[in-house]
Amino acid sequence: MDERDRVSGSAEETREQRVNRELGELLNELRVALPGVQVLFGFLLTPPLQAGFSKISMVERDIYFATLLTTAGATLLLVAPAAQHRLLFRQRDKEAMLLRFNRYAIWGLAFLGASLCGATLLVTSILFSMPPAVSTAAVVAVGVALLWFLRPLVLRRKDRL
């Protein structure tokens, strides 16, 4: 085995083993996110069928539609790696798949974060009014930004220095 195929962090793991491990880890991480997306999407499919839905304001209807679309986008992006992995099984394309799936997962999480903010905004606006709804959704947005994106990026940057 060529020394270039070894990973600097582990003298025992080859490049192929690393890619296999990372692909498995990514698919397992997506299994954590998917149930939340599925529940949110299911929740969003029921309101139009309820009698009171026609009484919401146009702004709330727009928020609902945007949230429905971002949740559909999150679902597409977070399920795509499993679907593509199954269809491309044994095509010897794992490293390229891993890079592509990683991008899908990051974008899927961004869409999921937008969906969480939209759902929070919608429900809170119906329960209270728009000003507290905007404040509540902003808190959720800050939480998503900090915990899902900014903190990991800061840690990644710190590790590179």
Side-chain angles (χ1 to χ4, degrees):
M1 178 178 9
D2 194 323
E3 189 61 35
R4 291 173 298 197
D5 288 336
R6 298 220 180 259
V7 176
S8 61
S10 171
E12 302 297 320
E13 188 177 50
T14 66
R15 180 184 198 129
E16 182 179 354
Q17 289 169 331
R18 177 188 54 80
V19 168
N20 287 335
R21 177 182 53 78
E22 289 177 356
L23 184 58
E25 288 173 1
L26 176 63
L27 293 173
N28 282 329
E29 290 166 3
L30 294 175
R31 286 188 189 109
V32 172
L34 278 172
V37 173
Q38 291 169 326
V39 167
L40 181 57
F41 197 60
F43 160 76
L44 289 169
L45 293 177
T46 58
L49 305 174
Q50 305 299 318
F53 187 76
S54 61
K55 297 176 186 167
I56 67 171
S57 72
M58 284 306 293
V59 170
E60 290 166 337
R61 192 174 300 241
D62 291 344
I63 294 167
Y64 170 81
F65 187 61
T67 303
L68 181 69
L69 291 178
T70 57
T71 306
T75 303
L76 289 170
L77 288 161
L78 294 173
V79 172
Q84 288 186 24
H85 180 260
R86 185 53 30 216
L87 291 170
L88 297 172
F89 185 65
R90 295 191 179 170
Q91 295 297 309
R92 306 208 186 277
D93 185 30
K94 283 188 180 177
E95 191 158 10
M97 281 193 311
L98 177 61
L99 295 172
R100 188 170 59 250
F101 295 173
N102 187 58
R103 285 191 298 275
Y104 292 166
I106 291 168
W107 278 105
L109 290 172
F111 273 70
L112 177 57
S115 299
L116 291 174
C117 294
T120 301
L121 181 62
L122 178 63
V123 171
T124 309
S125 72
I126 292 169
L127 293 175
F128 302 105
S129 65
M130 198 51 77
V134 170
S135 299
T136 305
V139 169
V140 172
V142 167
V144 166
L146 286 174
L147 297 174
W148 291 9
F149 297 101
L150 296 176
R151 178 80 173 135
L153 289 173
V154 166
L155 291 173
R156 187 167 91 175
R157 185 167 186 243
K158 187 188 288 187
D159 285 345
R160 288 183 179 176
L161 297 178

